[in-house]
Amino acid sequence: MSVVESVLAQIPQPYRSVAIKHRELIKFAMVGGTTWIIDTAVFLLLKNTVLIEKPLTAKIIAVLVATIASYVLNREWSFRTRGGRDTHHEALLFFLVSGVGVAVYTAPLAVSRYLLHLSVPDVSLFTQEVADFVSGQIIGVLLGMAFRWWAFRRFVFPDEDVRRQAPEA
């Protein structure tokens, strides 16, 4: 019995049926959670060290690092049976969609900082940090994930069951 099968066996009905029906979305969300941790760690590290005065640059770098991890995890796990394109074409589309995703991810932080002026000296340092976290790490990530879920299925991995893997012995 595989790890996935043993985990599924632990889930009571009717939740097991829902998990099986939406397994791709659940895997995508788990990859998103993992890359959110990567994104958050890199963002906070950069923003509080070498890029103190450049939070958008820190956010863009963090998203790019997380995107590389996301490609590998999504291709090999979340969308492992989907495809329909040559690998180089698929990778190019993935990174193009993710590039648009960078704009989606960073837009709430830009609005918070530069339109709403939620930054020092207009607000306290605590308020600035909370606003940066909420806008960049919660709102931006949720909007970016929704966009990427749609775009990956529509453009990057459009065809179902084209990379179906043989069951393990």
Side-chain angles (χ1 to χ4, degrees):
M1 180 181 280
S2 74
V3 174
V4 172
E5 289 170 338
S6 62
V7 169
L8 285 173
Q10 301 294 321
I11 301 171
Q13 285 294 1
Y15 305 111
R16 183 180 316 136
S17 297
V18 172
I20 291 169
K21 181 178 179 185
H22 299 290
R23 68 186 171 275
E24 199 172 73
L25 178 60
I26 292 168
K27 289 179 184 181
F28 178 79
M30 291 176 71
V31 167
T34 302
T35 57
W36 182 85
I37 291 168
I38 293 167
D39 174 60
T40 300
V42 172
F43 175 64
L44 292 175
L45 177 70
L46 292 174
K47 185 177 166 298
N48 291 305
T49 58
V50 296
L51 295 172
I52 291 171
E53 299 297 319
K54 298 182 184 244
L56 283 179
T57 302
K59 183 62 180 167
I60 290 168
I61 292 169
V63 169
L64 292 174
V65 170
T67 299
I68 292 167
S70 176
Y71 176 68
V72 173
L73 293 170
N74 276 306
R75 184 175 198 289
E76 297 304 322
W77 192 51
S78 303
F79 302 112
R80 71 180 178 85
T81 63
R82 294 181 73 94
R85 303 191 186 285
D86 292 332
T87 304
H88 67 281
H89 189 205
E90 179 183 272
L92 176 64
L93 285 172
F94 185 95
F95 287 101
L96 284 172
V97 164
S98 294
V100 173
V102 169
V104 174
Y105 274 91
T106 56
L109 180 60
V111 168
S112 174
R113 276 285 178 120
Y114 304 115
L115 291 178
L116 300 177
H117 302 287
L118 294 175
S119 60
V120 173
D122 297 322
V123 298
S124 70
L125 180 60
F126 178 77
T127 301
Q128 172 186 290
E129 296 306 310
V130 169
D132 282 357
F133 185 80
V134 170
S135 62
Q137 297 308 109
I138 297 174
I139 297 170
V141 168
L142 290 173
L143 290 174
M145 283 182 73
F147 166 75
R148 288 173 34 152
W149 168 253
W150 170 79
F152 287 166
R153 289 175 52 90
R154 175 82 169 96
F155 301 111
V156 181
F157 308 109
D159 300 325
E160 295 183 51
D161 296 325
V162 295
R163 294 191 310 141
R164 174 80 49 203
Q165 296 177 352
E168 296 176 16

